[in-house]
mmCIF file of all heavy atoms in Angstrom:
data_model
loop_
_atom_site.group_PDB
_atom_site.id
_atom_site.type_symbol
_atom_site.label_atom_id
_atom_site.label_comp_id
_atom_site.label_asym_id
_atom_site.label_seq_id
_atom_site.Cartn_x
_atom_site.Cartn_y
_atom_site.Cartn_z
ATOM 1 N N ARG O 769 16.649 118.926 132.865
ATOM 2 C CA ARG O 769 15.960 119.873 132.053
ATOM 3 C C ARG O 769 14.757 119.326 131.317
ATOM 4 O O ARG O 769 15.040 118.426 130.372
ATOM 5 C CB ARG O 769 16.939 120.576 131.130
ATOM 6 C CG ARG O 769 16.411 121.823 130.513
ATOM 7 C CD ARG O 769 17.550 122.634 129.633
ATOM 8 N NE ARG O 769 18.555 123.099 130.501
ATOM 9 C CZ ARG O 769 19.819 122.681 130.440
ATOM 10 N NH1 ARG O 769 20.196 121.817 129.591
ATOM 11 N NH2 ARG O 769 20.664 123.249 131.185
ATOM 12 N N VAL O 770 13.599 119.673 131.668
ATOM 13 C CA VAL O 770 12.433 119.161 130.973
ATOM 14 C C VAL O 770 12.296 119.793 129.677
ATOM 15 O O VAL O 770 12.031 120.930 129.582
ATOM 16 C CB VAL O 770 11.130 119.379 131.780
ATOM 17 C CG1 VAL O 770 9.942 118.763 131.133
ATOM 18 C CG2 VAL O 770 11.318 118.658 133.181
ATOM 19 N N ILE O 771 12.435 119.016 128.614
ATOM 20 C CA ILE O 771 12.355 119.591 127.142
ATOM 21 C C ILE O 771 10.865 119.443 126.688
ATOM 22 O O ILE O 771 10.426 120.350 126.070
ATOM 23 C CB ILE O 771 13.273 118.655 126.164
ATOM 24 C CG1 ILE O 771 14.766 118.620 126.829
ATOM 25 C CG2 ILE O 771 13.157 119.099 124.866
ATOM 26 C CD1 ILE O 771 15.365 119.960 126.743
ATOM 27 N N ALA O 772 10.237 118.311 126.996
ATOM 28 C CA ALA O 772 8.913 118.110 126.680
ATOM 29 C C ALA O 772 8.269 117.318 127.776
ATOM 30 O O ALA O 772 8.938 116.729 128.712
ATOM 31 C CB ALA O 772 8.846 117.429 125.316
ATOM 32 N N PRO O 773 6.907 117.198 127.833
ATOM 33 C CA PRO O 773 6.340 116.379 128.967
ATOM 34 C C PRO O 773 6.837 115.048 129.118
ATOM 35 O O PRO O 773 6.852 114.469 130.247
ATOM 36 C CB PRO O 773 4.844 116.414 128.639
ATOM 37 C CG PRO O 773 4.638 117.730 127.857
ATOM 38 C CD PRO O 773 5.860 117.846 127.038
ATOM 39 N N THR O 774 7.356 114.419 128.060
ATOM 40 C CA THR O 774 7.844 112.995 128.128
ATOM 41 C C THR O 774 9.307 112.972 127.695
ATOM 42 O O THR O 774 9.838 111.866 127.459
ATOM 43 C CB THR O 774 7.025 112.109 127.295
ATOM 44 O OG1 THR O 774 7.020 112.525 125.907
ATOM 45 C CG2 THR O 774 5.560 111.972 127.740
ATOM 46 N N ASP O 775 10.027 114.087 127.651
ATOM 47 C CA ASP O 775 11.458 114.048 127.378
ATOM 48 C C ASP O 775 12.251 114.920 128.304
ATOM 49 O O ASP O 775 11.903 116.125 128.460
ATOM 50 C CB ASP O 775 11.631 114.589 125.925
ATOM 51 C CG ASP O 775 13.098 114.575 125.450
ATOM 52 O OD1 ASP O 775 13.859 113.700 125.896
ATOM 53 O OD2 ASP O 775 13.435 115.370 124.575
ATOM 54 N N VAL O 776 13.202 114.329 128.968
ATOM 55 C CA VAL O 776 14.021 114.992 129.921
ATOM 56 C C VAL O 776 15.479 114.849 129.572
ATOM 57 O O VAL O 776 15.965 113.832 129.358
ATOM 58 C CB VAL O 776 13.765 114.564 131.336
ATOM 59 C CG1 VAL O 776 14.596 115.257 132.351
ATOM 60 C CG2 VAL O 776 12.277 114.638 131.707
ATOM 61 N N GLU O 777 16.198 115.997 129.524
ATOM 62 C CA GLU O 777 17.564 116.091 129.282
ATOM 63 C C GLU O 777 18.277 115.999 130.660
ATOM 64 O O GLU O 777 17.941 116.774 131.467
ATOM 65 C CB GLU O 777 18.001 117.288 128.487
ATOM 66 C CG GLU O 777 19.497 117.384 128.260
ATOM 67 C CD GLU O 777 19.807 118.745 127.558
ATOM 68 O OE1 GLU O 777 19.863 119.702 128.325
ATOM 69 O OE2 GLU O 777 19.950 118.735 126.374
ATOM 70 N N VAL O 778 19.285 115.030 130.806
ATOM 71 C CA VAL O 778 19.970 114.927 132.118
ATOM 72 C C VAL O 778 21.488 115.195 131.760
ATOM 73 O O VAL O 778 22.113 114.634 130.830
ATOM 74 C CB VAL O 778 19.834 113.529 132.621
ATOM 75 C CG1 VAL O 778 20.583 113.342 133.908
ATOM 76 C CG2 VAL O 778 18.343 113.176 132.786
ATOM 77 N N VAL O 779 22.052 116.069 132.630
ATOM 78 C CA VAL O 779 23.505 116.220 132.507
ATOM 79 C C VAL O 779 24.150 115.844 133.889
ATOM 80 O O VAL O 779 23.653 116.292 134.910
ATOM 81 C CB VAL O 779 23.763 117.827 132.317
ATOM 82 C CG1 VAL O 779 25.237 118.066 132.225
ATOM 83 C CG2 VAL O 779 23.117 118.323 131.143
ATOM 84 N N SER O 780 25.132 114.916 133.742
ATOM 85 C CA SER O 780 25.781 114.407 134.907
ATOM 86 C C SER O 780 27.298 114.330 134.504
ATOM 87 O O SER O 780 27.694 114.176 133.430
ATOM 88 C CB SER O 780 25.187 113.042 135.400
ATOM 89 O OG SER O 780 25.442 112.105 134.493
#
Side-chain angles (χ1 to χ4, degrees):
R769 188 172 296 118
V770 179
I771 305 299
T774 58
D775 182 26
V776 179
E777 179 184 79
V778 181
V779 179
S780 64

